mmCIF file of all heavy atoms in Angstrom:
data_model
loop_
_atom_site.group_PDB
_atom_site.id
_atom_site.type_symbol
_atom_site.label_atom_id
_atom_site.label_comp_id
_atom_site.label_asym_id
_atom_site.label_seq_id
_atom_site.Cartn_x
_atom_site.Cartn_y
_atom_site.Cartn_z
ATOM 1 N N TYR A 41 -12.219 -6.288 2.746
ATOM 2 C CA TYR A 41 -13.310 -7.209 3.224
ATOM 3 C C TYR A 41 -12.655 -8.330 3.997
ATOM 4 O O TYR A 41 -11.672 -8.946 3.478
ATOM 5 C CB TYR A 41 -14.000 -7.821 2.003
ATOM 6 C CG TYR A 41 -14.972 -8.909 2.462
ATOM 7 C CD1 TYR A 41 -16.202 -8.537 2.890
ATOM 8 C CD2 TYR A 41 -14.643 -10.206 2.347
ATOM 9 C CE1 TYR A 41 -17.142 -9.533 3.345
ATOM 10 C CE2 TYR A 41 -15.552 -11.265 2.739
ATOM 11 C CZ TYR A 41 -16.811 -10.884 3.240
ATOM 12 O OH TYR A 41 -17.649 -11.846 3.577
ATOM 13 N N LYS A 42 -13.084 -8.517 5.256
ATOM 14 C CA LYS A 42 -12.533 -9.643 6.050
ATOM 15 C C LYS A 42 -13.746 -10.516 6.461
ATOM 16 O O LYS A 42 -14.782 -10.063 6.849
ATOM 17 C CB LYS A 42 -11.928 -9.038 7.373
ATOM 18 C CG LYS A 42 -10.604 -8.154 7.038
ATOM 19 C CD LYS A 42 -10.051 -7.611 8.202
ATOM 20 C CE LYS A 42 -10.782 -6.293 8.545
ATOM 21 N NZ LYS A 42 -10.079 -5.483 9.518
ATOM 22 N N LYS A 43 -13.535 -11.798 6.362
ATOM 23 C CA LYS A 43 -14.572 -12.786 6.603
ATOM 24 C C LYS A 43 -14.169 -13.667 7.819
ATOM 25 O O LYS A 43 -13.141 -14.213 7.871
ATOM 26 C CB LYS A 43 -14.819 -13.689 5.422
ATOM 27 C CG LYS A 43 -15.894 -14.626 5.585
ATOM 28 C CD LYS A 43 -16.118 -15.561 4.425
ATOM 29 C CE LYS A 43 -17.172 -16.565 4.649
ATOM 30 N NZ LYS A 43 -17.138 -17.635 3.740
ATOM 31 N N GLU A 44 -15.184 -13.780 8.702
ATOM 32 C CA GLU A 44 -15.121 -14.654 9.807
ATOM 33 C C GLU A 44 -13.803 -14.730 10.682
ATOM 34 O O GLU A 44 -12.971 -15.589 10.401
ATOM 35 C CB GLU A 44 -15.454 -16.120 9.448
ATOM 36 C CG GLU A 44 -16.890 -16.195 8.837
ATOM 37 C CD GLU A 44 -17.280 -17.577 8.428
ATOM 38 O OE1 GLU A 44 -16.604 -18.511 8.815
ATOM 39 O OE2 GLU A 44 -18.247 -17.697 7.674
ATOM 40 N N ARG A 45 -13.698 -13.915 11.564
ATOM 41 C CA ARG A 45 -12.458 -13.685 12.342
ATOM 42 C C ARG A 45 -12.509 -14.733 13.487
ATOM 43 O O ARG A 45 -13.502 -14.952 14.164
ATOM 44 C CB ARG A 45 -12.392 -12.357 12.920
ATOM 45 C CG ARG A 45 -11.222 -12.141 13.836
ATOM 46 C CD ARG A 45 -11.160 -10.706 14.361
ATOM 47 N NE ARG A 45 -10.069 -10.609 15.281
ATOM 48 C CZ ARG A 45 -9.931 -9.563 16.051
ATOM 49 N NH1 ARG A 45 -10.772 -8.598 16.033
ATOM 50 N NH2 ARG A 45 -8.911 -9.463 16.926
ATOM 51 N N ASP A 46 -11.461 -15.381 13.704
ATOM 52 C CA ASP A 46 -11.306 -16.326 14.844
ATOM 53 C C ASP A 46 -10.495 -15.546 15.936
ATOM 54 O O ASP A 46 -9.282 -15.431 15.805
ATOM 55 C CB ASP A 46 -10.563 -17.602 14.452
ATOM 56 C CG ASP A 46 -10.409 -18.592 15.506
ATOM 57 O OD1 ASP A 46 -10.623 -18.224 16.711
ATOM 58 O OD2 ASP A 46 -10.038 -19.755 15.196
ATOM 59 N N ILE A 47 -11.198 -15.039 16.907
ATOM 60 C CA ILE A 47 -10.583 -14.163 17.938
ATOM 61 C C ILE A 47 -9.467 -14.874 18.653
ATOM 62 O O ILE A 47 -8.453 -14.223 18.963
ATOM 63 C CB ILE A 47 -11.697 -13.519 18.761
ATOM 64 C CG1 ILE A 47 -12.632 -12.637 17.992
ATOM 65 C CG2 ILE A 47 -11.030 -12.831 20.009
ATOM 66 C CD1 ILE A 47 -13.850 -12.165 18.750
ATOM 67 N N GLU A 48 -9.734 -16.100 19.060
ATOM 68 C CA GLU A 48 -8.661 -16.865 19.884
ATOM 69 C C GLU A 48 -7.363 -16.980 19.068
ATOM 70 O O GLU A 48 -6.331 -16.976 19.692
ATOM 71 C CB GLU A 48 -9.288 -18.208 20.214
ATOM 72 C CG GLU A 48 -10.395 -18.126 21.307
ATOM 73 C CD GLU A 48 -10.953 -19.402 21.644
ATOM 74 O OE1 GLU A 48 -10.355 -20.479 21.293
ATOM 75 O OE2 GLU A 48 -11.980 -19.412 22.371
ATOM 76 N N LYS A 49 -7.385 -17.208 17.745
ATOM 77 C CA LYS A 49 -6.259 -17.501 17.027
ATOM 78 C C LYS A 49 -5.771 -16.231 16.238
ATOM 79 O O LYS A 49 -4.761 -16.285 15.653
ATOM 80 C CB LYS A 49 -6.490 -18.608 16.017
ATOM 81 C CG LYS A 49 -6.787 -19.863 16.664
ATOM 82 C CD LYS A 49 -6.990 -20.966 15.628
ATOM 83 C CE LYS A 49 -7.282 -22.310 16.195
ATOM 84 N NZ LYS A 49 -7.471 -23.326 15.219
ATOM 85 N N LEU A 50 -6.517 -15.156 16.414
ATOM 86 C CA LEU A 50 -6.151 -13.854 15.717
ATOM 87 C C LEU A 50 -6.029 -14.087 14.204
ATOM 88 O O LEU A 50 -5.051 -13.629 13.488
ATOM 89 C CB LEU A 50 -4.902 -13.232 16.205
ATOM 90 C CG LEU A 50 -4.893 -12.879 17.736
ATOM 91 C CD1 LEU A 50 -3.540 -12.475 18.108
ATOM 92 C CD2 LEU A 50 -5.933 -11.847 17.978
ATOM 93 N N ARG A 51 -7.001 -14.770 13.675
ATOM 94 C CA ARG A 51 -6.895 -15.178 12.228
ATOM 95 C C ARG A 51 -8.253 -14.859 11.506
ATOM 96 O O ARG A 51 -9.317 -14.883 12.105
ATOM 97 C CB ARG A 51 -6.682 -16.752 12.169
ATOM 98 C CG ARG A 51 -6.548 -17.252 10.807
ATOM 99 C CD ARG A 51 -6.467 -18.773 10.816
ATOM 100 N NE ARG A 51 -7.615 -19.400 11.290
ATOM 101 C CZ ARG A 51 -8.701 -19.679 10.648
ATOM 102 N NH1 ARG A 51 -8.796 -19.408 9.397
ATOM 103 N NH2 ARG A 51 -9.773 -20.323 11.186
ATOM 104 N N TYR A 52 -8.131 -14.487 10.239
ATOM 105 C CA TYR A 52 -9.302 -14.274 9.346
ATOM 106 C C TYR A 52 -9.356 -15.463 8.355
ATOM 107 O O TYR A 52 -8.378 -15.858 7.817
ATOM 108 C CB TYR A 52 -9.194 -13.026 8.603
ATOM 109 C CG TYR A 52 -9.536 -11.787 9.511
ATOM 110 C CD1 TYR A 52 -8.505 -11.130 10.196
ATOM 111 C CD2 TYR A 52 -10.878 -11.371 9.747
ATOM 112 C CE1 TYR A 52 -8.886 -10.106 11.074
ATOM 113 C CE2 TYR A 52 -11.177 -10.350 10.438
ATOM 114 C CZ TYR A 52 -10.197 -9.594 11.141
ATOM 115 O OH TYR A 52 -10.435 -8.565 11.982
#
Side-chain angles (χ1 to χ4, degrees):
Y41 173 80
K42 296 179 272 194
K43 181 182 178 199
E44 296 185 18
R45 179 178 174 192
D46 183 344
I47 295 172
E48 291 180 9
K49 295 181 182 177
L50 299 174
R51 182 184 64 83
Y52 283 92

